[in-house]
Amino acid sequence: MGLIKRESFYSSIASYTGVVIGYINVVLLFPYYFKPEQFGLTRVLLALAYILAQFANLGAFNVILKFFPFYKSNRNQHSSFLIISFLVPLLGFIAVSAIVYVFRDFILTAYQKDSELINDHFFLVFPLTFFILYMRLLESVSNTYFKTIFPIVIREVIIRLLTLIAIILYHIDILTFNEFLIVFIGIYGAAVVFLIIYLIRIGALKIKIVWEGFPESSYREMANYGFYALLGGAAVTVVANIDVVMVSFMVNLKDTAIYSVAFLIATVIQLPQRSISQIAIPVLSEAWKNNDLKKIEEIYRKSSINLILIGNLLFALVWINVDSLFTYLPEIYSGGKIVVLFILVSKLFDMYTGVNGEIIRLSRYYRFDLVSMVVLVLLVIGTNYIFIPIYGIAGAAFATALSVMIYNLVKLLFIWVKYKMQPFSLDSLKAFAAFGFSIGFGIMIPEIESHLADIFMRSLISAGLYLIIVVYFNLSPDLMHLLVKLKIKK
């Protein structure tokens, strides 16, 4: 097994393990062991910390990935590069923290409904931001040595596992809520320590108090690249977290908790998209290098039909069981069902459009991806500002769905105008018809008294019907190829 395949295999195992633990924490434990306001506070602190860390890094995450490989073999330049890479984000952290501190009264005024809880714990966002900032910086250094597994295990598994333990300690009254928050943030500090020890052991952190500079052109190139990386990364991070922040100060922390649980339930359908994206990127990169537009269009359509088929199935399984799923949560969280629907729709539409973002990002029009992301940020903030006061958390979910759909329609149109490519075919329509038939049939199945049995039977019948239609009409050549291989092996 090659290095990339081996790293991808073990990284996928770690990621999916982390998803399972994350679901246990966010969907099962937090809602039952904490008041919604307390749970909502943890979501807001994390969302704010990730946004602030993204601005504070000043593009260093990506600069390390791109430029450190050129200097790490020279011990003096290796040390100089790391000093710059760690000091520049520190200055960024100080600047961002100072801005937040100066405007703290304005920020806290927005949280009038939960002012006491926010006021008492707002300053915890600073150490959390610092730990997340340097955790990601150290991850970038590790990745330049092709050591991707350990950082993923730390981020996806260890942090969530330690959080699970902290939740249990709080539940059995070993920790008070204030102590839990300190431990919760300390877990991210521990992650930084683990990464430092690991990088020292593999010889990646070799810092000497000796300075060897770089050519002036290198500084300019790194600064220019860092600027674009900062804008792009900030756009992605803001889009991923701004709805939680805006719900928290435009509604309240209780609804923030409800929104967070519902959002996580819905996002499960998009997990396979990450794997397909990772597989497609190197192939697309090679195709662009060879100007092989036919290959690019083939990948575009294949990614779309496969994601349509997977997304349809997962959407159906979540939505036909949504009532049973919410019976396992406290009654107050049932208000999140409409959020699940809107987020499911947004994620499914994103999957329908295949790897359109990757195609643009790897093309000569890569700057359009940055521009479109900035527009998406403004769109998300604007629509949330309009719809949250009217519809609450349902408005936030609708704003996210509307923004994502417009964003993907713009990318679809851009690729069509520039390259006359679009990802859909007759099979796409057939897949959508199969989806409608299976989800409709699944909803009409009589309810079984046992919720667990109801989920099992409803899922089995709906998924079985859907897969029969997909196989019968041969909607996915890749799936049929896999079935033929399995049949031959048998």
Side-chain angles (χ1 to χ4, degrees):
M1 187 183 294
L3 174 64
I4 294 176
K5 287 186 177 180
R6 184 175 67 251
E7 294 282 312
S8 298
F9 175 73
Y10 289 116
S11 296
S12 297
I13 292 176
S15 296
Y16 283 103
T17 301
V19 167
V20 172
I21 300 172
Y23 260 76
I24 292 172
N25 289 346
V26 175
V27 178
L28 298 179
L29 300 185
F30 267 118
Y32 273 104
Y33 296 161
F34 292 81
K35 296 176 183 178
E37 295 82 359
Q38 294 174 328
F39 177 27
L41 177 64
T42 66
R43 300 304 95 189
V44 173
L45 289 175
L46 275 175
L48 284 172
Y50 270 102
I51 291 174
L52 295 179
Q54 182 59 52
F55 283 102
N57 90 92
L58 300 178
F61 299 154
N62 296 83
V63 168
I64 290 171
L65 291 171
K66 183 172 178 62
F67 294 98
F68 189 42
F70 294 101
Y71 303 112
K72 65 183 182 182
S73 58
N74 180 313
R75 187 169 182 182
N76 289 341
Q77 287 188 330
H78 176 288
S79 182
S80 300
F81 189 94
L82 288 181
I83 290 172
I84 294 175
S85 300
F86 292 151
L87 283 181
V88 169
L90 180 60
L91 296 175
F93 170 75
I94 293 171
V96 167
S97 299
I99 293 170
V100 173
Y101 181 79
V102 168
F103 290 97
R104 69 190 183 283
D105 291 336
F106 173 78
I107 296 170
L108 291 172
T109 301
Y111 289 100
Q112 290 178 356
K113 294 179 181 178
D114 298 287
S115 57
E116 185 177 349
L117 197 59
I118 293 289
N119 277 324
D120 289 346
H121 303 99
F122 180 76
F123 286 96
L124 291 176
V125 76
F126 297 118
L128 184 57
T129 299
F130 180 84
F131 292 143
I132 288 174
L133 170 63
Y134 278 90
M135 181 178 73
R136 294 197 57 193
L137 285 169
L138 294 167
E139 284 179 3
S140 295
V141 173
S142 184
N143 289 342
T144 64
Y145 284 83
F146 304 102
K147 302 292 185 181
T148 60
I149 298 173
F150 186 78
I152 290 175
V153 169
I154 292 293
R155 174 171 25 94
E156 302 292 339
V157 179
I158 301 301
I159 287 178
R160 289 170 177 170
L161 193 59
L162 291 176
T163 301
L164 187 152
I165 294 171
I167 293 171
I168 294 173
L169 292 176
Y170 170 77
H171 176 61
I172 61 179
D173 294 327
I174 291 178
L175 297 176
T176 65
F177 180 63
N178 287 342
E179 291 168 343
F180 168 81
L181 288 175
I182 293 171
V183 171
F184 180 71
I185 291 169
I187 288 169
Y188 287 85
V192 173
V193 173
F194 293 153
L195 285 168
I196 290 173
I197 294 172
Y198 174 72
L199 291 175
I200 290 174
R201 290 192 63 181
I202 66 172
L205 285 185
K206 297 178 289 187
I207 298 179
K208 296 171 56 182
I209 311 301
V210 175
W211 177 261
E212 182 173 332
F214 311 100
E216 186 177 341
S217 58
S218 296
Y219 288 113
R220 286 198 301 268
E221 187 179 2
M222 284 189 280
N224 185 58
Y225 183 81
F227 175 73
Y228 280 100
L230 171 63
L231 292 179
V236 172
T237 305
V238 169
V239 168
N241 295 282
I242 196 64
D243 47 358
V244 171
V245 175
M246 294 186 72
V247 166
S248 68
F249 74 73
M250 296 182 75
V251 190
N252 53 52
L253 290 179
K254 179 186 73 175
D255 281 349
T256 303
I258 297 169
Y259 183 86
S260 298
V261 170
F263 192 95
L264 186 62
I265 290 173
T267 52
V268 68
I269 77 165
Q270 209 173 23
L271 291 176
Q273 189 173 16
R274 299 177 189 174
S275 300
I276 289 178
S277 175
Q278 288 176 347
I279 294 168
I281 284 174
V283 183
L284 284 171
S285 181
E286 183 70 19
W288 276 120
K289 187 185 77 172
N290 299 324
N291 198 31
D292 190 348
L293 297 181
K294 185 177 180 181
K295 181 69 174 178
I296 293 168
E297 185 172 21
E298 178 188 355
I299 296 168
Y300 196 15
R301 292 203 167 192
K302 278 191 173 184
S303 68
S304 176
I305 188 62
N306 284 316
L307 287 171
I308 286 172
L309 294 171
I310 296 169
N312 284 346
L313 177 59
L314 294 177
F315 184 113
L317 292 178
V318 172
W319 187 245
I320 64 177
N321 293 304
V322 69
D323 289 321
S324 294
L325 289 171
F326 272 95
T327 61
Y328 292 99
L329 290 167
E331 177 63 27
I332 193 173
Y333 287 88
S334 61
K337 283 189 284 189
I338 188 65
V339 174
V340 172
L341 178 60
F342 282 132
I343 300 303
L344 280 173
V345 170
S346 72
K347 300 301 181 185
L348 186 63
F349 191 83
D350 191 29
M351 296 174 78
Y352 270 34
T353 57
V355 291
N356 56 4
E358 288 79 359
I359 289 173
I360 295 172
R361 204 170 301 127
L362 294 168
S363 74
R364 63 190 180 95
Y365 297 105
Y366 65 91
R367 287 185 179 85
F368 177 81
D369 184 63
L370 174 59
V371 173
S372 62
M373 280 300 302
V374 173
V375 172
L376 176 60
V377 170
L378 299 176
L379 190 60
V380 168
I381 294 174
T383 52
N384 271 283
Y385 188 78
I386 292 170
F387 292 112
I388 289 177
I390 303 172
Y391 302 111
I393 59 174
F398 176 75
T400 297
L402 179 64
S403 301
V404 168
M405 293 174 76
I406 293 173
Y407 173 61
N408 276 288
L409 284 172
V410 169
K411 290 192 291 183
L412 280 172
L413 182 62
F414 183 84
I415 295 174
W416 170 250
V417 170
K418 294 297 182 181
Y419 297 106
K420 296 296 182 289
M421 297 180 192
Q422 58 86 21
F424 306 116
S425 64
L426 182 59
D427 285 343
S428 305
L429 291 176
K430 292 178 181 177
F432 190 74
F435 165 62
F437 187 71
S438 64
I439 198 172
F441 193 85
I443 291 173
M444 290 188 296
I445 296 173
E447 187 176 343
I448 300 174
E449 187 174 348
S450 168
H451 294 298
L452 191 60
D454 186 76
I455 290 173
F456 177 77
M457 289 303 300
R458 203 176 293 272
S459 300
L460 183 65
I461 294 171
S462 183
L465 179 62
Y466 178 76
L467 291 173
I468 288 171
I469 297 172
V470 168
V471 172
Y472 181 80
F473 287 103
N474 190 23
L475 298 183
S476 174
D478 291 336
L479 175 61
M480 293 305 297
H481 179 66
L482 176 62
L483 291 174
V484 169
K485 286 179 68 177
L486 291 173
K487 186 175 181 181
I488 291 173
K489 288 181 180 180
K490 185 176 180 181

